[in-house]
């Protein structure tokens, strides 16, 4: 018996804006059900740290992506509850 696997892809975008000390990230994920989740992340360079824009992008991007992860867990929990008709156990990271 052959098992079929369905491949699903999600499109994720990250954009950054930097001003020398601050980095802001915007993350957007588009889901197959048509939903879009857009979040923001930020990073601030301490005065004594050297200017490393890539590090600011990594921190701000990670924070924005973490917020997407949390919103996806909430979305999944709501969908489980809606489909089952009762309150389910919380979904942990």
């Amino acid at each position: 018996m052959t098992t079929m696997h369905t491949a699903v892809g999600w499109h994720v975008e990250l954009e950054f804006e930097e001003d020398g000390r601050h980095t802001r990230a915007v993350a957007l994920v588009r889901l197959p059900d048509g939903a879009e989740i857009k979040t923001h992340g930020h990073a601030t360079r301490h005065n004594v740290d050297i200017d490393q824009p890539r590090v600011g992008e990594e921190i701000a991007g990670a924070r924005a992506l973490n917020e997407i992860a949390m919103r996806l867990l909430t979305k999944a929990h709501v969908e489980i509850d809606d489909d089952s008709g009762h309150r389910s156990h919380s979904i942990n990271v």
Side-chain angles (χ1 to χ4, degrees):
M1 177 181 243
T2 303
T3 304
M4 291 203 46
H5 298 279
T6 302
V8 177
W10 292 2
H11 184 78
V12 178
E13 294 178 20
L14 278 169
E15 293 182 2
F16 300 95
E17 182 179 294
E18 299 170 280
D19 69 8
R21 185 152 181 245
H22 303 93
T23 303
R24 288 173 271 313
V26 176
L28 173 71
V29 62
R30 291 186 180 96
L31 303 174
D33 67 2
E36 290 186 352
I37 299 173
K38 184 177 182 179
T39 62
H40 299 84
H42 70 279
T44 302
R45 181 175 52 83
H46 192 277
N47 292 334
V48 299
D49 292 338
I50 62 172
D51 188 15
Q52 293 180 292
R54 180 182 45 80
V55 173
E57 290 170 4
E58 290 168 351
I59 294 169
R63 288 176 173 160
L65 290 170
N66 186 61
E67 181 62 25
I68 282 181
M70 299 310 293
R71 290 191 189 181
L72 284 169
L73 288 171
T74 298
K75 182 180 183 306
H77 190 251
V78 168
E79 290 174 0
I80 291 168
D81 287 356
D82 288 349
D83 287 346
S84 69
H86 60 82
R87 184 144 173 88
S88 59
H89 295 284
S90 62
I91 301 171
N92 297 314
V93 177

